[in-house]
Amino acid sequence: MESFNPDDFAWRGLTMTPAAADHIRALTEKEAGLLGVRLGIKQTGCAGFGYVLDTVSEPNDDDLLYESDGARLYVPLQAMPFIDGTEVDYVREGLNQIFKFNNPKAQHECGCGESFGV
């Protein structure tokens, strides 16, 4: 069986809503040296995968960069098969404000929305 090579694919990329771009830009402006946010995945939860967000002060060699309105979103190349085409949003739910991920690759999500399966 051949191994997966992410370089063999043409990616649609990721997009950010204006609200997500505003929030990411505000995060980076609060702390000197921050360049943006990294969106990755990890195996977790009842549905298989969970989203992981970290601030970025130095990009990794395998990061892809997506920019919108001055906000930078870094994505590890290995995560792309699972989140390619995702729209990142930042929404208010009740008293909370959270990032939401509109992922066309997700075939199902757990009830709380914290994990997804492909």
Side-chain angles (χ1 to χ4, degrees):
M1 185 166 125
E2 239 178 274
S3 66
F4 167 75
N5 182 355
D7 292 327
D8 292 341
F9 292 85
W11 304 113
R12 294 186 311 174
L14 276 74
T15 58
M16 292 175 264
T17 64
D22 287 347
H23 188 69
I24 291 171
R25 197 173 47 256
L27 286 173
T28 59
E29 291 171 355
K30 285 183 183 178
E31 189 174 327
L34 287 184
L35 300 176
V37 171
R38 179 177 293 110
L39 172 61
I41 60 165
K42 66 178 180 177
Q43 286 192 310
T44 188
C46 52
F49 296 97
Y51 301 101
V52 179
L53 286 169
D54 294 303
T55 55
V56 175
S57 54
E58 186 173 321
N60 294 332
D61 291 340
D62 70 338
D63 281 342
L64 300 177
L65 174 60
Y66 297 97
E67 293 185 80
S68 178
D69 296 326
R72 293 185 182 123
L73 182 65
Y74 296 86
V75 180
L77 186 58
Q78 295 296 328
M80 287 302 289
F82 305 99
I83 60 175
D84 186 35
T86 295
E87 176 191 62
V88 179
D89 197 2
Y90 191 72
V91 299
R92 178 180 299 276
E93 289 188 350
L95 298 175
N96 299 314
Q97 292 184 343
I98 60 170
F99 281 103
K100 289 288 246 183
F101 307 98
N102 302 311
N103 183 348
K105 301 259 183 197
Q107 295 180 3
H108 58 278
E109 292 182 344
C110 68
C112 63
E114 293 293 320
S115 62
F116 67 99
V118 293

